[in-house]
């Protein structure tokens, strides 16, 4: 899965330069030109990282970042803020909205790509990997095989996709709707309750042999993979 970068920038030329450079580096991108559009895109597209311009019409980048941090689904979503000048960077940092990094304009595209890579490496080390390891669970994407504590875990295709999502973003809370979109596809109509059924199957398969439960139910929000000491 190629990491999806959401570019929030109201200047079309600047947005296009960023889009071009990130796609050339193997990322997929989506562009939003204001804060409202950005929040919608985060919900619908679930990007791996957000590049957020600080000066936007309507909602400022700072406000968008704060709102992302308030929601359990996006609390840990990596955010890089773009600011115009050095002093402004200090001011934005001072207002601290919980961004992962700040980049001052003007910057070179290759510098920003490097910063994105560094943030993703730190926050989502498993993104795009062929084999994911969390606690005693190993998910081999190429062979489509899962083991826990060295023993094979037999999963149906939906449970495999669910586990894949969880393992790519441990500790992130996924809502039922997000899981439906990602594991079933947005064109298929499935009741949100169906998610619970498949989560139950996934839990049962993973916990076989009395292993500790790794799937956390977040009341009112959804599910997350809970990995101790990671
Ligand atoms: Ca701007």
């Amino acid at each position: 899965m190629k990491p999806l970068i959401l570019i929030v920038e109201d200047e079309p030329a600047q947005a296009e330069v960023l889009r071009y450079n990130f796609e050339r580096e193997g990322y997929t991108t989506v562009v939003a030109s204001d804060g409202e559009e950005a929040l919608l895109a985060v919900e619908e597209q679930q990007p791996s990282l957000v590049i957020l311009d600080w000066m936007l019409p309507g909602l400022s980048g700072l406000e968008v970042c704060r709102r992302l941090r308030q929601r359990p689904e996006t609390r840990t979503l990596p955010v890089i803020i773009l600011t115009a000048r050095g002093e402004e960077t200090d001011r934005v940092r001072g207002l601290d909205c919980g961004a992962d990094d700040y980049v001052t304009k003007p910057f070179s595209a290759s510098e920003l790509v490097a910063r994105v890579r560094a943030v993703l490496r730190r926050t989502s080390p498993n993104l795009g990997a062929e084999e994911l390891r969390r606690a005693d669970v190993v998910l081999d994407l190429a062979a489509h095989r899962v083991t826990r504590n060295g023993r094979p875990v037999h999963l149906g295709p939906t449970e495999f996709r669910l586990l894949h999502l969880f393992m790519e973003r441990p500790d992130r809370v996924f809502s039922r709707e997000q899981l439906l979109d990602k594991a079933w596809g947005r064109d298929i109509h499935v009741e949100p309750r169906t998610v619970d059924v498949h989560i139950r199957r996934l839990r049962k398969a993973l916990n076989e042999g009395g292993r500790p439960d790794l799937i956390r139910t977040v009341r009112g929000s959804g599910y997350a993979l809970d990995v101790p000491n990671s």
Side-chain angles (χ1 to χ4, degrees):
M1 228 187 278
K2 284 186 187 174
L4 175 67
I5 310 288
L6 170 62
I7 299 164
V8 188
E9 170 62 75
D10 57 314
E11 287 154 57
Q14 179 80 22
E16 189 46 41
V17 168
L18 294 180
R19 174 200 273 282
Y20 172 81
N21 279 280
F22 279 98
E23 300 214 332
R24 199 180 56 177
E25 294 292 325
Y27 295 91
T28 47
T29 60
V30 55
V31 173
S33 56
D34 64 46
E36 298 283 354
E37 206 184 313
L39 290 171
L40 204 68
V42 165
E43 214 168 282
E44 288 182 346
Q45 316 261 355
Q46 293 149 49
S48 301
L49 180 141
V50 183
I51 294 172
L52 189 55
D53 188 23
W54 150 257
M55 294 296 280
L56 292 170
L59 284 182
S60 72
L62 185 84
E63 186 53 34
V64 172
C65 186
R66 280 193 177 140
R67 292 196 190 183
L68 292 175
R69 288 296 173 257
Q70 281 163 5
R71 300 178 183 169
E73 298 87 355
T74 54
R75 187 161 292 150
T76 60
L77 174 64
V79 174
I80 295 181
I81 297 234
L82 304 180
T83 64
R85 284 180 306 279
E87 307 92 87
E88 205 171 65
T89 308
D90 293 338
R91 195 156 73 87
V92 177
R93 277 179 196 276
L95 290 168
D96 192 23
C97 67
D100 295 87
D101 202 357
Y102 301 85
V103 174
T104 308
K105 291 179 178 180
F107 52 82
S108 71
S110 58
E111 182 196 344
L112 184 60
V113 169
R115 302 283 274 272
V116 164
R117 227 180 252 136
V119 168
L120 283 177
R121 220 175 9 241
R122 198 172 72 228
T123 56
S124 325
N126 283 328
L127 209 62
E130 283 287 292
E131 188 184 89
L132 306 177
R133 287 168 180 273
R134 286 285 154 183
D136 53 359
V137 180
V138 180
L139 184 142
D140 184 335
L141 280 168
H144 234 260
R145 253 199 309 261
V146 177
T147 60
R148 181 156 193 201
N149 201 26
R151 298 178 62 174
V153 175
H154 301 289
L155 299 177
T158 303
E159 287 74 30
F160 185 89
R161 284 195 296 273
L162 286 170
L163 182 63
H164 181 196
L165 274 174
F166 286 131
M167 288 188 66
E168 270 198 328
R169 296 290 305 276
D171 294 325
R172 175 187 157 157
V173 178
F174 291 92
S175 69
R176 286 177 180 78
E177 288 71 24
Q178 287 172 336
L179 292 172
L180 277 175
D181 271 0
K182 292 268 184 181
W184 278 264
R186 63 180 61 233
D187 297 330
I188 296 170
H189 183 74
V190 185
E191 288 294 317
R193 230 169 261 187
T194 309
V195 175
D196 300 337
V197 173
H198 287 274
I199 291 283
R200 215 173 298 139
R201 284 188 198 154
L202 174 60
R203 262 199 177 118
K204 186 161 178 260
L206 277 178
N207 299 354
E208 210 166 317
R211 307 301 299 167
D213 192 6
L214 297 177
I215 311 272
R216 176 163 52 106
T217 305
V218 184
R219 213 166 286 275
S221 290
Y223 297 99
L225 186 72
D226 231 357
V227 180
N229 312 319
S230 72

